[in-house]
Amino acid sequence: MDIFSEEILHHYKHPCCTVPLAFATQEASGENVSCGDKVSVRIACAHDRIDDISIIVTGCAISTAFGSLVAQEVKGKTISEVLSWDDATVLSLADGEVSSARKNCAFLAIRALRKALLQ
Amino acid sequence: MFDVTRYRDQFPLLKRGIHGHPIAYLDNASTTQKPQSVIDAMTDFYTNHNANIHRGIYTLSEEATEMYEGARRAVADWIGARSEEIVFTKNTTEAINLFVQSWGESHVGTDDEVLVTELEHHANLVPWQELCRRKGAHLRVVPIQEDGTFSSEDVVALLTPRVKVFALTGMSNVLGTLPPLKEIIAKAHAAGVLVFVDGAQLMAHDAVSVTSLNCDAFAFSFHKLLGPTGVGVLYAKKDILAAMPPVVYGGDMIEVVEQYQAQYREAPWRFEAGTPNIAGVAGIIPAIRVLQEARLAGAEEYLSSLSLYARERIGSVDGVKILGPLHPGSIISFSFADIHPHDIATVFDTEGIAVRSGAHCAHPLMRRLGVLATTRISLHYYNTREEIDRVVIALEKARNLLAK
């Protein structure tokens, strides 16, 4: 059986958008205290749009992969659209299932991004 | 000679398959599997003897009461205590909280000191933190060496005249560190300091005699000792328990109740308000019996040898770093290359192997060790060398999948 999908493994080994933005309009960080996964999000927004983003995760395969998937997906999107995403939308960014025990890993990046967007 | 196959036969869950593999259950520090005799005792209670205790003047209630108090006597005999020194709680955490909120509240005051160690599980840290905050007392912490140990000299250095109690673990749930308890307790007593031992892990490792240790109070859980969940024990010396006020009030802990006041029963019943986990207590004697029989047959020696095998085999995998002391303890925490413990545990799960990954309810210890999380293997008498070999294969699988 596939423990991690090809897509998750790819984003874990080659995550997108990990060079910290030199200039950011908002930033936020997050942590899963129970396992030590950490994320740092920097965004550059103009009007209602996310022009650029960096998401740096120090953590497990799931949290790193979803950090990359989220960063890739939100670039160019409006803030209001991203804020309207629910949990299911975030999980659908990757193929395959995320087990309930690992869902907090998958949501690490989006939770920090939401904090940044609401500043 | 300890016969591990015969021992395993007593545990129905060990026959389970997980993702097409026979289960390798290596998370015994978290909880242990249950022998059929424990399961049967609980079912038997509900089928044939179910009634509330201490209340009814009828056969069923008398049977239930005799079973409950008989279990208390059995626990007392097992750990070298007296019956009236054994309080049943829900678990170790509740036992510690009970002691802190009862003894702690009435014996720790402003500017007093409470001593703990860097090794503590949150259950034996946070209640003491809160006590100090409430009372204006000060928490002091015995530091550990790089290998996760500390000596009685390290403790003595912190035993000021203001220290009222030293609360420490009998065995680290992360590193397997075994503090030199007897020595530490003697030195603490010489300085007039009371000693509270979190025995949750130690009880699974060794036959404990509280009289021989001479600790003032000791807490543990039966679910880590082949027993049911929902049954823990607070032991405290008779005179200490006698001076402790109740914390939970209600039925069964009272002597006389008038409209505006009540008088409370003596210890230990004063600390057991309401209907307890009677069915859980029914599982105690069979659990003790299985452990004692196994120990008489050499289970501890088997476990030592298995633990050494585990440390050698796992430790020899390229990229594995085992944390903690070098002794062959049955609790082994390690890091592996730059692969996150959650990912290691996920890969292991697909191979039917259950391990714990994370911070193990010991965040200050994780910070002290400079790690965010570890993977932890914790062994019991029913584990085997073949299961350790499977761990090594699973580590290589994790490496192939996830190494960057």
Side-chain angles (χ1 to χ4, degrees), chain B residues 157-173:
Chain B
L158 290 165
L159 290 177
T160 72
R162 297 243 57 130
V163 175
K164 283 285 179 299
V165 57
F166 180 27
L168 78 160
T169 180
M171 180 177 185
S172 165
N173 69 306

Side-chain angles (χ1 to χ4, degrees), chain A residues 1 3-4 9 12-13 15 31 33-38 58-62 64 101-102 105, chain B residues 19 338-340 342-343 346-347 350 357-360 363 367 372-373 397 400-404:
Chain A
M1 69 174 263
I3 309 167
F4 302 105
L9 285 175
Y12 168 60
K13 291 183 182 172
E31 191 181 355
V33 186
S34 61
C35 65
D37 289 346
K38 288 181 163 57
T58 322
C60 65
I62 305 271
T64 306
R102 302 299 300 270
C105 309
Chain B
H19 298 304
D338 57 358
I339 301 173
H340 195 281
H342 273 187
D343 297 326
T346 297
V347 171
T350 63
S357 68
H360 313 294
H363 295 173
R367 255 176 246 117
L372 297 170
K397 182 173 176 180
N400 292 338
L401 205 52
L402 293 163
K404 289 204 197 185

Side-chain angles (χ1 to χ4, degrees), chain B residues 145-182:
Chain B
Q145 306 294 328
E146 284 314 310
D147 68 352
T149 63
F150 63 91
S151 67
S152 57
E153 278 72 45
D154 297 325
V155 175
V156 168
L158 290 165
L159 290 177
T160 72
R162 297 243 57 130
V163 175
K164 283 285 179 299
V165 57
F166 180 27
L168 78 160
T169 180
M171 180 177 185
S172 165
N173 69 306
V174 176
L175 303 175
T177 306
L178 291 159
L181 281 181
K182 267 181 103 158

Side-chain angles (χ1 to χ4, degrees), chain A residues 46-91:
Chain A
H47 310 293
D48 187 39
R49 249 195 23 209
I50 302 169
D51 279 344
D52 206 354
I53 182 166
S54 64
I55 293 187
I56 299 163
V57 173
T58 322
C60 65
I62 305 271
S63 58
T64 306
F66 272 86
S68 172
L69 286 160
V70 165
Q72 197 175 258
E73 190 65 22
V74 305
K75 250 199 233 189
K77 293 226 164 34
T78 63
I79 294 174
S80 31
E81 183 184 346
V82 174
L83 284 175
S84 75
W85 287 357
D86 61 9
D87 289 351
T89 311
V90 175
L91 292 174

Side-chain angles (χ1 to χ4, degrees), chain A residues 6-29:
Chain A
E6 281 301 320
E7 193 180 21
I8 292 271
L9 285 175
H10 172 78
H11 280 272
Y12 168 60
K13 291 183 182 172
H14 313 283
C16 161
C17 318
T18 57
V19 177
L21 287 192
F23 169 73
T25 51
Q26 289 120 291
E27 62 186 319
S29 58

